[in-house]
Amino acid sequence: MTTNDYATARAISEADAHGRPIEGQIVVVTGGGQGVGAAVARLAAIRGAAGVVLAGRTRSKLEAVAADLSCPALCVAGDLSEVDACFRVIDEAAEHFGAIHMLVNAAGFTERGTIDSTSPELYDRTFNINVRAPFFLMQRALPHLRKTQGTIVNIASIVSHAGPPMISAYCASKAALGVLSKNVANTVAGDRVRVNALNMGWTATEGEHGIQTGDWHQRGEDWLAETDAAQPFGRIARSEDVARAVLFLGSPESGLMTGSVVDFEQRVIGSLSDVDPGKAD
């Protein structure tokens, strides 16, 4: 073992010992007022973030999450379908905290619409929030991330592989975000900025509850229990599961990993048969 090997081993053991892999970092989280974004913000604070920037449409929701964090927080309210709002998130984050180390694009928009029924307005709003917003958030953040050799994590979706018929524009937008993540990762690798994406599988969030009990699906309040029981591992994902994967990708724990689009899903993509949820009992 060389001197450098010993130094590396010591650094790893020290990081593991205190469980704070993003100690001192400033983390920007879009969609931070609820669901996955809020879970990422809470876990970032627990894991050592020096500050968290919460961006989203509803200030009251952002402030409620901020009040629950164990680190300083900045709330930036705005509609991310507007490019100026994206720029303002990054500008205010950098001005308030003086640096940016991680950008997590967790904001997303989904509304039911097939290839036959999707209107131009629905298509545009879907792509504006799910693709254009991350594009310009990354663009604005990169000068700061180059200085800190920071990271970007984009929340894509498992439906980017194909997806169900009733969310055609959403599926296409998340596939676009995955390719964009790879392109940007390649562009900034020389600057030692890492960019990865997470293809999030079916996850229980406040937004998903509204979708499942809404006009399209019209499921009862017990939809989650029914859905959980039908899964190979006995449940669909929770926001906290996704947050752990996001912070793995965005922290030094993922090492040199960049340009990856990770399927965060319990069903194997491309498999020809389903899994019996009772087989492990």
Side-chain angles (χ1 to χ4, degrees):
M1 215 177 197
T2 67
T3 301
N4 285 339
D5 290 333
Y6 279 116
T8 299
R10 184 168 60 252
I12 291 172
S13 62
E14 288 173 355
D16 288 344
H18 58 54
R20 293 167 66 88
I22 56 171
E23 184 85 50
Q25 293 192 13
I26 305 302
V27 181
V28 178
V29 185
T30 69
Q34 63 181 21
V36 169
V40 169
R42 292 187 180 102
L43 189 59
I46 291 169
R47 294 195 174 178
V52 173
V53 180
L54 299 164
R57 294 187 65 186
T58 308
R59 178 168 293 279
S60 60
K61 290 184 177 181
L62 300 175
E63 291 175 344
V65 175
D68 194 37
L69 300 183
S70 57
C71 71
L74 172 69
C75 299
V76 185
D79 183 352
L80 295 180
S81 67
E82 300 173 0
V83 173
D84 286 347
C86 299
F87 289 163
R88 186 161 53 84
V89 169
I90 301 303
D91 292 347
E92 292 191 19
E95 181 179 358
H96 186 84
F97 285 112
I100 298 173
H101 299 85
M102 188 190 309
L103 169 63
V104 179
N105 283 311
F109 173 78
T110 179
E111 188 170 304
R112 272 34 185 168
T114 68
I115 186 63
D116 295 302
S117 65
T118 298
S119 66
E121 292 77 18
L122 173 56
Y123 179 94
D124 286 345
R125 182 158 183 79
T126 301
F127 268 78
N128 286 349
I129 295 176
N130 294 351
V131 186
R132 190 174 72 172
F135 186 104
F136 286 106
L137 284 156
M138 288 191 288
Q139 182 189 85
R140 198 72 156 197
L142 277 171
H144 306 286
L145 293 171
R146 287 184 172 106
K147 292 177 184 177
T148 60
Q149 295 185 358
T151 60
I152 298 171
V153 183
N154 292 320
I155 305 296
S157 173
I158 204 69
V159 301
S160 63
H161 291 286
M166 75 281 195
I167 48 172
S168 292
Y170 178 79
C171 296
S173 72
K174 290 301 187 178
L177 182 58
V179 173
L180 176 61
S181 301
K182 286 177 173 286
N183 178 271
V184 177
N186 185 52
T187 300
V188 299
D191 300 313
R192 298 183 180 177
V193 175
R194 298 189 299 114
V195 185
N196 293 289
L198 190 73
N199 274 341
M200 186 176 82
W202 199 356
T203 303
T205 64
E206 298 96 318
E208 185 63 22
H209 180 79
I211 290 170
Q212 292 298 319
T213 58
D215 291 341
W216 184 283
H217 295 285
Q218 297 183 358
R219 299 183 68 183
E221 292 293 323
D222 60 349
W223 73 270
L224 182 56
E226 294 175 355
T227 301
D228 279 346
Q231 307 309 309
F233 286 86
R235 65 180 180 89
I236 61 174
R238 302 303 194 255
S239 296
E240 294 75 18
D241 298 317
V242 181
R244 293 185 189 102
V246 167
L247 287 178
F248 167 76
L249 292 174
S251 77
E253 291 182 321
S254 53
L256 308 178
M257 183 178 180
T258 195
S260 294
V261 180
V262 179
D263 288 344
F264 191 74
E265 169 60 45
Q266 60 188 298
R267 297 177 186 273
V268 179
I269 301 303
S271 60
L272 298 180
S273 60
D274 209 344
V275 177
D276 180 359
K279 187 175 181 180
D281 293 338

